[in-house]
Structures are given as structure tokens and as C-alpha cells.
């Protein structure tokens, strides 16, 4: 099976702009989770989508949003970018039905730099 | 309070030797899952091993094993016969189940430690 893919891999934006990142999960997986990784805060959970519905959300401002399509592909959007949004954004894929035992498989990430 | 604590910011090991990476966790949930991931400099998180709170035996996956001490709330990763390619950042993570069962607030959410950078010397 193909792994999790994320596009683009690298992105440079300026403050105030918006950005959309894309994630395609492993075939058959219906859950997509997003994480932000920064040197200062480490890995933080953004949100999780399952069957086109957001099931869980982390503690991030409303500028961070996401959606999931019927083919399970997911996008996350960050509006009005701030310097602090510079990070590695990781997408994780899982079946979505196995509770706390479920392993998430991560994509290569999108490195976002906000200038 | 930190839910996942990795107290070793960096570790060094000689090639072919074993190394233990420490992880302690904090939860009042009787049902939870513990995971270890490896993150090379490329950035991708690679799943290594899983341990469930009700699992009777310590998990093993090839050269990786998990030293699970439930009473101490520790889940240390042991890498045997270290290889140069093992040099990377290693993360311990946890998913709690109680909130999941009660309404889903744990869906998808892994809580990660700060990580340990492992360097394998030839």
C-alpha cells in the first residue's frame, strides 16, 4: 500500500497570508489527524477528521481549520499567518475504528516558513 | 502536569550496543495505549512499537522492545544491536481511552513527549 502523502513539502509565506496543506491517507483509512511540530512546543495535536466529520480538536485558535473529503483526503488551512505558525505540519492516517490501540501512520510533513 | 515525560534530551551509544530510552507517563485512565516513534532528520515519523495498558507481555518488534512497568508508569524503549541508521529523534506518545468511550474527545489525539535525540557512534 502507498503511504501517507502530503503536499506541498515546503512552503514559504508572508505574515497575513493564508495557506492550505493537503494530506492523502493510506488507502482504506478513514481517519486523518493533523499535528504541528515546533522546537519550542514540540508535537501538538490540531484536529482529527473521520468520514468527513471533525471528531476532535486541539487547543489552537480558529485560524486553523480543516476539512475532509469523501475520498478521505484532508486539507488544513491556516488564515492570517503569523510568524509563530512556522512549523512542520504532520498528517497521520489510521483506520479510525480501533480506539486507543490504533496506530497512526505519519506522512513526511509540510515545512511551513512564515516571513 | 506533563502527561508524557522523556528525561533524556540526548543519548549516545556505540554501534552494536543496546540502548534504553526512558519514558514516563501520567494518566488516571485504566485503558490507554503507548507508542514509540522515530523521527529521522527528514521529518517523517516512523511507528516503531505499541503497548496496551492491559497487555500482559512487553511488546517486541525486531530489535525494538518495550520495558513496560505499569505500576511505575514507565514505558522505556530498548533498542538492541544499535545501527548507524538508528540515529534520530525518538518520541514516546500516549492515547487515553476513557474520554474516547465517553464521547470521543481522545479520537486521533496522541500526546507526545519532548523526544530524545539518539546518536549512534561507529
Amino acid at each position: 500500500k502507498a503511504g501517507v502523502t502530503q503536499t506541498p513539502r515546503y512552503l514559504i509565506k508572508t505574515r497575513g497570508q493564508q495557506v492550505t496543506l493537503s494530506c492523502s491517507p493510506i488507502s482504506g483509512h478513514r481517519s486523518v489527524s493533523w499535528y504541528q511540530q515546533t522546537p519550542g512546543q514540540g508535537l501538538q495535536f490540531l484536529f482529527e477528521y473521520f468520514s468527513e466529520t471533525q471528531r476532535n480538536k486541539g487547543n489552537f485558535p480558529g485560524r486553523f481549520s480543516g476539512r475532509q473529503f469523501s475520498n478521505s483526503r484532508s486539507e488544513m488551512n491556516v488564515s492570517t499567518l503569523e510568524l509563530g505558525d512556522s512549523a512542520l505540519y504532520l498528517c497521520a492516517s489510521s483506520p479510525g475504528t480501533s480506539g486507543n490501540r490504533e496506530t497512526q501512520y505519519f506522512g513526511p510533513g509540510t515545512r511551513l516558513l512564515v516571513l | 502536569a506533563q502527561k508524557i515525560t522523556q528525561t533524556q534530551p540526548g543519548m549516545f551509544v556505540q554501534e552494536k550496543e543496546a540502548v534504553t530510552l526512558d519514558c514516563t507517563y501520567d494518566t488516571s485512565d485504566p485503558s490507554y495505549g503507548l507508542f514509540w516513534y522515530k523521527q529521522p532528520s527528514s521529518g517523517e515519523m516512523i511507528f516503531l512499537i505499541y503497548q496496551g495498558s492491559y497487555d500482559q507481555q512487553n511488546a517486541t518488534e525486531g530489535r525494538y522492545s518495550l520495558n513496560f512497568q505499569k505500576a511505575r508508569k514507565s514505558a522505556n524503549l530498548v533498542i538492541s544491536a544499535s545501527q548507524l541508521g538508528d540515529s534520530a529523534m525518538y518520541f514516546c506518545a500516549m492515547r487515553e481511552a476513557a474520554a474516547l468511550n465517553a464521547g470521543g474527545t481522545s479520537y486521533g489525539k496522541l500526546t507526545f513527549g519532548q523526544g530524545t535525540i539518539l546518536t549512534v557512534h561507529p
Side-chain angles (χ1 to χ4, degrees), chain A residues 46-100:
Chain A
L46 280 156
F47 29 65
E48 187 252 9
Y49 285 86
F50 177 80
S51 292
E52 302 178 66
T53 301
Q54 186 183 87
R55 282 198 303 193
N56 199 4
K57 188 178 189 304
N59 196 22
F60 278 81
R63 300 185 296 107
F64 292 81
S65 63
R67 60 178 176 168
Q68 187 179 35
F69 302 96
S70 58
N71 61 357
S72 294
R73 188 177 70 87
S74 177
E75 289 180 347
M76 68 163 281
N77 183 275
V78 188
S79 62
T80 320
L81 283 165
E82 300 176 0
L83 296 180
D85 297 333
S86 295
L88 177 66
Y89 289 89
L90 291 161
C91 158
S93 158
S94 66
T97 56
S98 302
N100 67 314

Side-chain angles (χ1 to χ4, degrees), chain B residues 78-100:
Chain B
V78 180
I79 305 174
S80 63
S82 296
Q83 302 171 355
L84 296 178
D86 293 335
S87 293
M89 178 80 91
Y90 288 79
F91 289 96
C92 179
M94 176 174 65
R95 181 183 294 117
E96 296 161 288
L100 184 91

Side-chain angles (χ1 to χ4, degrees), chain A:
Chain A
K1 280 186 179 179
V4 181
T5 58
Q6 289 187 247
T7 57
R9 294 293 310 278
Y10 304 91
L11 208 47
I12 300 175
K13 292 285 188 179
T14 56
R15 277 181 299 173
Q17 287 187 310
Q18 74 161 10
V19 67
T20 299
L21 312 182
S22 180
C23 172
S24 292
I26 292 169
S27 177
H29 285 187
R30 291 195 287 164
S31 170
V32 174
S33 297
W34 289 89
Y35 294 83
Q36 181 196 63
Q37 185 177 20
T38 59
Q41 298 299 317
L43 279 148
Q44 293 185 286
F45 172 75
L46 280 156
F47 29 65
E48 187 252 9
Y49 285 86
F50 177 80
S51 292
E52 302 178 66
T53 301
Q54 186 183 87
R55 282 198 303 193
N56 199 4
K57 188 178 189 304
N59 196 22
F60 278 81
R63 300 185 296 107
F64 292 81
S65 63
R67 60 178 176 168
Q68 187 179 35
F69 302 96
S70 58
N71 61 357
S72 294
R73 188 177 70 87
S74 177
E75 289 180 347
M76 68 163 281
N77 183 275
V78 188
S79 62
T80 320
L81 283 165
E82 300 176 0
L83 296 180
D85 297 333
S86 295
L88 177 66
Y89 289 89
L90 291 161
C91 158
S93 158
S94 66
T97 56
S98 302
N100 67 314
R101 299 188 66 86
E102 191 158 283
T103 297
Q104 291 183 339
Y105 298 92
F106 285 78
T110 294
R111 290 190 188 272
L112 172 65
L113 176 62
V114 182
L115 300 176

